[in-house]
Amino acid sequence: MNLVLLGYPGSGKGTQAKILSGKFSLFHISTGDIFREAIAAKTQIGVEVSGYLSAGRLVPDKLVLEVIKTRLAKETRGLLFDGFPRTVDQAQGLDDYFASRGQCIDAVVFLDVDEESVVGRLGSRRTCSKCLKIYNLLTSPPAKEGLCDSCGAKLMLREDDNPDVIRRRIGVYKDQTEPLAAYYKGLGNFYPVKGGQDPEIVAAEIAAVLKNNVK
Ligand code: ADP
Ligand code: ZN
């Protein structure tokens, strides 16, 4: 099974991807995490993409597709894409890639949340600096302030989770990523789920959608 998670920044893609990849033994691929790791490790790709991430702009499609193909070359598990594709060109690139592997996307799950709640969520989001677990100071705070429940490392505020860049990312989403909903609706594998609920409930609804629609 190959899945794509689609939705606004802050709609819960990363949180759901972590739950679902465990539940269904899928390989979780987050282009955002890949880029942030590359930036932290100061690799050549990290240097190339760093300006895009801090400004909240999209990394060029060609580079994104190269990174994805390199990562997936030897991967045989089902795939769960989080934060990719983000443009129609990326979606077409992904379709071509799957065709070359004799595979397809079984479902595109759209996490439906309204714009205002996304702004609030991103501002109160904190991420573990080590294991990347995601917290929300308002709805799912850590037991000990500033520290990860799972591994004890410090929580951090992502550089792009500040008001100006959040606004830019939402604009970019509307312009470049929202058209993907129509693209996938046309292909007949698009499933909206209400993303504004408790993460475990969202995950259960997604699991039910997959059970009923994907063989
Ligand atoms: P969010 O969905 O909360 O914005 P991500 O971690 O998915 O967070 O993405 C963070 C940033 O990484 C984006 O704003 C963009 O600069 C870059 N990025 C991630 N995925 C892609 C992609 N598929 N195409 C282009 N840029 C990307
Ligand atoms: Zn942690």
Side-chain angles (χ1 to χ4, degrees), residues 37 53 83 93 109 147 159 175:
E37 279 160 22
L53 272 86
V109 174
L147 298 178
E159 194 195 353
D175 289 347

Side-chain angles (χ1 to χ4, degrees), residues 127-133 135 147-155:
T127 311
C128 174
S129 52
K130 199 166 153 208
C131 75
L132 304 181
K133 188 173 160 128
Y135 296 84
L147 298 178
C148 177
D149 293 346
S150 301
C151 76
K154 271 199 192 143
L155 302 187

Side-chain angles (χ1 to χ4, degrees), residues 25-191:
S25 308
L26 301 172
F27 180 65
H28 172 198
I29 181 153
S30 158
T31 36
D33 285 349
I34 292 173
F35 293 143
R36 280 184 290 276
E37 279 160 22
I39 293 169
K42 301 193 168 67
T43 64
Q44 195 200 324
I45 287 178
V47 172
E48 271 181 65
V49 304
S50 141
Y52 294 102
L53 272 86
S54 52
R57 296 183 189 282
L58 293 187
V59 173
D61 291 335
K62 190 166 172 278
L63 180 56
V64 175
L65 283 163
E66 268 169 28
V67 165
I68 290 276
K69 286 178 190 169
T70 312
R71 273 291 163 115
L72 297 183
K74 294 199 184 82
E75 186 55 57
T76 53
R77 280 171 287 178
L79 306 173
L80 173 47
F81 291 98
D82 156 16
F84 172 87
R86 250 177 158 93
T87 65
V88 172
D89 279 351
Q90 288 181 17
Q92 282 163 348
L94 181 60
D95 287 346
D96 294 345
Y97 178 66
F98 271 141
S100 75
R101 288 164 61 118
Q103 294 184 328
C104 66
I105 301 170
D106 296 286
V108 176
V109 174
F110 173 62
L111 296 171
D112 196 359
V113 294
D114 53 70
E115 189 180 328
E116 298 91 279
S117 62
V118 155
V119 177
R121 278 189 183 191
L122 290 173
S124 51
R125 169 161 79 183
R126 297 293 182 275
T127 311
C128 174
S129 52
K130 199 166 153 208
C131 75
L132 304 181
K133 188 173 160 128
I134 301 163
Y135 296 84
N136 183 295
L137 297 185
L138 305 175
T139 57
S140 54
K144 276 192 210 141
E145 198 185 323
L147 298 178
C148 177
D149 293 346
S150 301
C151 76
K154 271 199 192 143
L155 302 187
M156 55 174 194
L157 175 66
R158 263 170 52 176
E159 194 195 353
D160 58 350
D161 281 346
N162 74 65
D164 287 347
V165 181
I166 289 172
R167 239 171 280 128
R168 162 80 56 67
R169 284 157 62 206
I170 287 175
V172 166
Y173 175 83
K174 285 185 182 166
D175 289 347
Q176 305 194 56
T177 308
E178 215 161 59
L180 285 181
Y183 178 85
Y184 285 120
K185 271 180 200 161
L187 297 181
N189 56 0
F190 180 83
Y191 303 100

